[in-house]
C-alpha cells in the first residue's frame, strides 16, 4: 500500500471558484479534502427519452418509466441523480474485464441515457485483485475507459474511493490518474462532495472515506474482518476530520460512503470497526444514508434512527451468502439480492427537495427493489 502524495489535486478542466452558491442552471460539486477545496460544474444535460425502432422490451420499459418520473418540459422536477456501483474492477488477466462488469456498464449507460445521471459514485475495489502500479497502468484503459465507453457516459464524472483490493496496489496512482482522465475524480483518500439540487436551494453533502485506512485491510480468505489500521495516526486523523466535517455540515442531505459496509448479512458481515467508530457518528449528526460495497451482492438495511445502509457491491462478482444474517439487528434488513447466476447490478439514487429515492437495478435491466428516505430537518435536531 502506497499513500505517498495522497493529497494530490484533481485534474484540471472545467472549474470555477469555490463557492457555497453554485450556478443553479447546472448544479455543481465542491470537492473538499484536507488539501483541496474547489468547485467543478457538473454537466447535467439529460438525454431525451425517445424510443427507436430497434429498442428491445427492456428499453421500452425504461422509456415508459422515464416518462413517468422525468417530465420533458422545462418544468422538470428538480432532482439530483447518480449511480452507485462498487466492486466492479474486472480481472488482472486478459481481457481484464468480466461479463458482469460489461453487463453493468451497458445497463448504467442505458440508465444514464434514459433516466439521466449527474455522476457515478465508485465504491471501491476498482481494480482486481491487486490494484494498479502507477498512473500509466494499462488497467485504467482496459478495465475502466474501454468498458464504460458508451457515449452516454463520456461526460459523466466518476467520484472514486479505494477498496481493500486497491490498497494491495498503489492508491496514489489512482489519485494521480485524476490528472489524466477527464471523468475520473479521486482528489484524496478521503474528501467531501457538495451538490445543489438544480432549481432549488436544497443541498447535498457526500463524505467519501477510506475505510481501509480507518480499519485496516482484510483478508478475503481468513477472518474477513480488518484487524487494525496499518497507521493508527492516519486513522485518527481521518476520523477527526470526519467528526469536524459532520458537525459543521449544514446541508439538507448528508451521505457518507466507504468501501466496507457498516451492516451486512453476507460473507464479510458487519464491519466491527465501523459499527464501533462510524455508526455512532451517523446517528449523532443525522446522516441520511451510508453507501458501501465489499460484499458482492445488493442489500438495503435501515436502522431504528431511519438511517439507510445502501450496499452496492455487485459490479463484477455475485455471492449469494447470507452467512451473517444473525449478526445484524433484527428488522434492519429490507432487501438482499445475491443470485449467483445473475449479471449483478447497481443502485440508482434520485434526491429531490422532498425525499431520496433508491432503486436497485439488475444489469439485465430489471428493477429489483425501491425505497425512499424522507428529507429531515437536520439542523433542528443537532
Amino acid at each position: 500500500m502506497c499513500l505517498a502524495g495522497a493529497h494530490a489535486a484533481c485534474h484540471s478542466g472545467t472549474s470555477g471558484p469555490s463557492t457555497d452558491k453554485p450556478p443553479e442552471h447546472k448544479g455543481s460539486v465542491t470537492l473538499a479534502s484536507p488539501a483541496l477545496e474547489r468547485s467543478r460544474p457538473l454537466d447535467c444535460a439529460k438525454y431525451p427519452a425517445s424510443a427507436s425502432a430497434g429498442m428491445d422490451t427492456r428499453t421500452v420499459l425504461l422509456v415508459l418509466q422515464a416518462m413517468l418520473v422525468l417530465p420533458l418540459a422545462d418544468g422538470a422536477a428538480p432532482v439530483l441523480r447518480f449511480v452507485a456501483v462498487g466492486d466492479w474492477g474486472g480481472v488482472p488477466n486478459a481481457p481484464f474485464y468480466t461479463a458482469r462488469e460489461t453487463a453493468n456498464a451497458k445497463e448504467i449507460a442505458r440508465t444514464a441515457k434514459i433516466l439521466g445521471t449527474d455522476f457515478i459514485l465508485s465504491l471501491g475495489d476498482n481494480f482486481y485483485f491487486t490494484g494498479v502500479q502507477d498512473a500509466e497502468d494499462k488497467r485504467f484503459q482496459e478495465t475502466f475507459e474501454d468498458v464504460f465507453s458508451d457515449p452516454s457516459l463520456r461526460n459523466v464524472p466518476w467520484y472514486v474511493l479505494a477498496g481493500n483490493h486497491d490498497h494491495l496496489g498503489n492508491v496514489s496512482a489512482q489519485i494521480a490518474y485524476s490528472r489524466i482522465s477527464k471523468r475520473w475524480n479521486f482528489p484524496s483518500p478521503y474528501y467531501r462532495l457538495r451538490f445543489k439540487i438544480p432549481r432549488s436551494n436544497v443541498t447535498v453533502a457526500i463524505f467519501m472515506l477510506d475505510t481501509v485506512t480507518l480499519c485496516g485491510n482484510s483478508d478475503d480468505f481468513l477472518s474477513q474482518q480488518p484487524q487494525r489500521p496499518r497507521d493508527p495516526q492516519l486513522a485518527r486523523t481521518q476520523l477527526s476530520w470526519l467528526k469536524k466535517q459532520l458537525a459543521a455540515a449544514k446541508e439538507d442531505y448528508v451521505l457518507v460512503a466507504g468501501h466496507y459496509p457498516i451492516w451486512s448479512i453476507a460473507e464479510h458481515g458487519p464491519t466491527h470497526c465501523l459499527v464501533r467508530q462510524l455508526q455512532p457518528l451517523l446517528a449523532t449528526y443525522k446522516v441520511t444514508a451510508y453507501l458501501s460495497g465489499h460484499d458482492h451482492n445488493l442489500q438495503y438495511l435501515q436502522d431504528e434512527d431511519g438511517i439507510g445502509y445502501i450496499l452496492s457491491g455487485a459490479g463484477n462478482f455475485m455471492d449469494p451468502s447470507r452467512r451473517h444474517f444473525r449478526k445484524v439487528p433484527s428488522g434492519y434488513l429490507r432487501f438482499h439480492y445475491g443470485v449467483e447466476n445473475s449479471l449483478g447490478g447497481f443502485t440508482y439514487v434520485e434526491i429531490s427537495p422532498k425525499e431520496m429515492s433508491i432503486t436497485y437495478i439488475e444489469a439485465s435491466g430489471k428493477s429489483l427493489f425501491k425505497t425512499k428516505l424522507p428529507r429531515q430537518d437536520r439542523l433542528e435536531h443537532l
Side-chain angles (χ1 to χ4, degrees):
M1 176 178 68
C2 174
L3 289 175
H7 296 296
C10 253
H11 64 278
S12 60
T14 306
S15 63
S18 178
T19 173
D20 287 332
K21 293 185 178 181
E24 288 193 15
H25 68 285
K26 282 191 175 182
S28 77
V29 54
T30 299
L31 298 178
S33 73
L36 180 66
E37 179 89 23
R38 64 185 297 179
S39 177
R40 180 188 304 278
L42 291 175
D43 180 0
C44 294
K46 298 294 183 284
Y47 293 83
S50 59
S52 68
M55 281 188 174
D56 59 20
T57 303
R58 286 183 299 155
T59 304
V60 172
L61 288 173
L62 272 174
V63 169
L64 291 174
Q65 183 181 356
M67 291 172 68
L68 290 172
V69 301
L70 283 180
L72 298 181
D74 290 339
V79 180
L80 182 73
R81 302 176 171 91
F82 67 89
V83 166
V85 59
D87 305 78
W88 51 268
V91 286
N93 49 284
F96 305 101
Y97 53 81
T98 66
R100 283 194 182 92
E101 188 197 358
T102 56
N104 273 283
K106 288 177 181 177
E107 192 58 36
I108 289 170
R110 187 193 302 266
T111 301
K113 185 174 183 179
I114 297 171
L115 300 180
T117 189
D118 297 311
F119 58 93
I120 296 170
L121 282 190
S122 174
L123 298 173
D125 280 1
N126 310 314
F127 300 98
Y128 285 104
F129 289 100
T130 55
V132 295
Q133 298 307 305
D134 54 53
E136 303 296 331
D137 197 306
K138 63 182 182 180
R139 292 294 305 282
F140 286 111
Q141 191 67 38
E142 293 162 334
T143 301
F144 173 61
E145 303 285 1
D146 290 348
V147 177
F148 297 92
S149 58
D150 189 272
S152 66
L153 299 179
R154 285 178 188 162
N155 296 315
V156 176
W158 286 58
Y159 298 105
V160 182
L161 57 80
N164 55 304
H165 285 277
D166 299 310
H167 273 278
L168 296 177
N170 185 348
V171 173
S172 294
Q174 292 195 38
I175 291 169
Y177 189 67
S178 301
R179 303 189 200 104
I180 297 172
S181 173
K182 68 177 183 179
R183 54 182 176 160
W184 182 273
N185 296 276
F186 193 176
S188 180
Y190 52 94
Y191 56 100
R192 183 191 71 175
L193 299 169
R194 186 179 190 275
F195 301 90
K196 186 175 181 182
I197 296 176
R199 298 181 301 284
S200 81
N201 292 318
V202 178
T203 52
V204 179
I206 306 178
F207 294 95
M208 303 284 279
L209 302 183
D210 187 339
T211 55
V212 179
T213 297
L214 272 179
C215 298
N217 215 323
S218 60
D219 191 316
D220 289 340
F221 303 102
L222 293 176
S223 70
Q224 305 285 342
Q225 284 288 325
Q227 297 302 307
R228 64 188 62 83
R230 180 176 179 180
D231 186 330
Q233 183 56 50
L234 274 180
R236 286 192 292 269
T237 298
Q238 182 178 182
L239 196 62
S240 175
W241 172 85
L242 180 63
K243 287 179 182 177
K244 290 177 182 177
Q245 290 285 328
L246 290 176
K250 305 300 182 187
E251 288 80 10
D252 300 285
Y253 294 90
V254 173
L255 311 181
V256 178
H259 181 64
Y260 291 149
I262 294 178
W263 300 112
S264 169
I265 70 164
E267 181 68 17
H268 297 106
T271 306
H272 302 155
C273 159
L274 298 182
V275 172
R276 186 173 64 253
Q277 298 188 57
L278 183 56
Q279 194 281 329
L281 295 180
L282 306 188
T284 297
Y285 296 108
K286 308 299 178 185
V287 168
T288 309
Y290 178 74
L291 299 97
S292 67
H294 197 45
D295 268 322
H296 298 156
N297 44 55
L298 300 169
Q299 297 178 55
Y300 180 75
L301 306 97
Q302 191 169 318
D303 68 17
E304 62 272 10
D305 295 313
I307 300 168
Y309 297 88
I310 301 165
L311 196 156
S312 180
N316 197 61
F317 304 110
M318 281 297 278
D319 182 357
S321 171
R322 296 171 63 94
R323 176 181 174 188
H324 289 90
F325 180 80
R326 297 186 182 280
K327 299 293 185 180
V328 170
S330 177
Y332 278 23
L333 181 68
R334 309 293 175 87
F335 166 73
H336 169 268
Y337 185 75
V339 176
E340 204 162 9
N341 61 358
S342 161
L343 287 172
F346 55 92
T347 55
Y348 181 68
V349 179
E350 299 170 285
I351 305 179
S352 75
K354 179 182 177 183
E355 61 193 7
M356 174 173 161
S357 171
I358 306 120
T359 304
Y360 289 76
I361 300 175
E362 191 183 38
S364 66
K366 179 181 178 182
S367 176
L368 299 169
F369 176 79
K370 185 171 183 177
T371 191
K372 295 179 180 181
L373 290 167
R375 172 187 168 189
Q376 299 179 7
D377 189 347
R378 295 184 55 256
L379 302 183
E380 187 177 282
H381 296 90
L382 291 179

